[in-house]
Amino acid sequence: MELLLVLALMVAIAAIAWPAIRGSFDTQRLAKSADQLRAAFGKTRVKAMRTGAIQVFRFQPGRSGYGSETWTASAEEVVSAATAAGGVASGPPTPTATAPPSSSTDALPDGVVFHLAEVTVDARAANLLGSGGQGGDGETAEWSSPIFFYPDGTTSNTHVVLANERGQAIVVTLRGLTGLSLPSEITSLEQLAR
């Protein structure tokens, strides 16, 4: 009888403590996702510098998939994009935003998705993308607009928001000039909307 009472007490304590334990697991998974995204950004940047070819990073808004691929532009188009000083020139067609990246695709941990992103289109990206600097349907497409990584180590200025099922969010900021990425503190989606 005493053994049953102790077991019942342990089950009751576990049931009370489970939501708090689960919350910390979700928070850890979100922080791990930000680190995973930062590593993917770094890997794509290094690949661009090592190969001398522009790399494109894209993700699935509202989902967890992401990937990178080599931008398939001619040498003249790359030079034109690198020397663009303003305005929008015609360039090669963008990879379709509805097709997955051809070279590699990965996913964030379970329960974490790409909530939204803000990608600044500079003169080089606008030149590569062609008229208007739009890479397909952007955030409404199955795949996001491209984030460019250039052979000189620079990239597109970007803010990517990752979110989990509990409404928590973390912002990963990618700095264009240095190519470095930094995570924010974990906050709620409500606080980010303000």
Side-chain angles (χ1 to χ4, degrees), residues 123-177:
R124 292 184 293 179
N127 194 30
L128 288 170
L129 291 171
S131 63
Q134 297 299 314
D137 295 331
E139 296 298 323
T140 60
E142 185 177 340
W143 289 87
S144 69
S145 296
I147 301 169
F148 290 101
F149 288 83
Y150 302 103
D152 64 1
T154 60
T155 183
S156 305
N157 282 317
T158 307
H159 301 283
V160 179
V161 178
L162 304 177
N164 64 16
E165 296 141 349
R166 297 174 61 89
Q168 296 175 314
I170 190 167
V171 180
V172 178
T173 301
L174 181 61
R175 296 186 178 178
L177 187 58

Side-chain angles (χ1 to χ4, degrees), residues 38-62:
R38 291 178 63 218
F41 283 161
K43 183 178 174 183
T44 305
R45 179 176 178 249
V46 167
K47 186 175 180 183
M49 291 188 301
R50 187 178 33 119
T51 63
I54 297 172
Q55 299 295 313
V56 177
F57 184 92
R58 292 183 294 152
F59 60 88
Q60 295 175 301

Side-chain angles (χ1 to χ4, degrees), residues 29-80:
R29 205 172 337 188
L30 187 60
K32 180 182 175 188
S33 297
D35 290 340
Q36 184 176 334
L37 181 60
R38 291 178 63 218
F41 283 161
K43 183 178 174 183
T44 305
R45 179 176 178 249
V46 167
K47 186 175 180 183
M49 291 188 301
R50 187 178 33 119
T51 63
I54 297 172
Q55 299 295 313
V56 177
F57 184 92
R58 292 183 294 152
F59 60 88
Q60 295 175 301
R63 299 171 69 190
S64 63
Y66 65 89
S68 64
E69 62 188 334
T70 302
W71 181 264
T72 53
S74 68
E76 295 83 20
E77 291 163 339
V78 171
V79 170
S80 173

Side-chain angles (χ1 to χ4, degrees), residues 13-29:
I13 291 172
I16 292 170
W18 178 248
I21 293 171
R22 182 172 174 246
S24 67
F25 286 149
D26 290 343
T27 301
Q28 284 299 102
R29 205 172 337 188

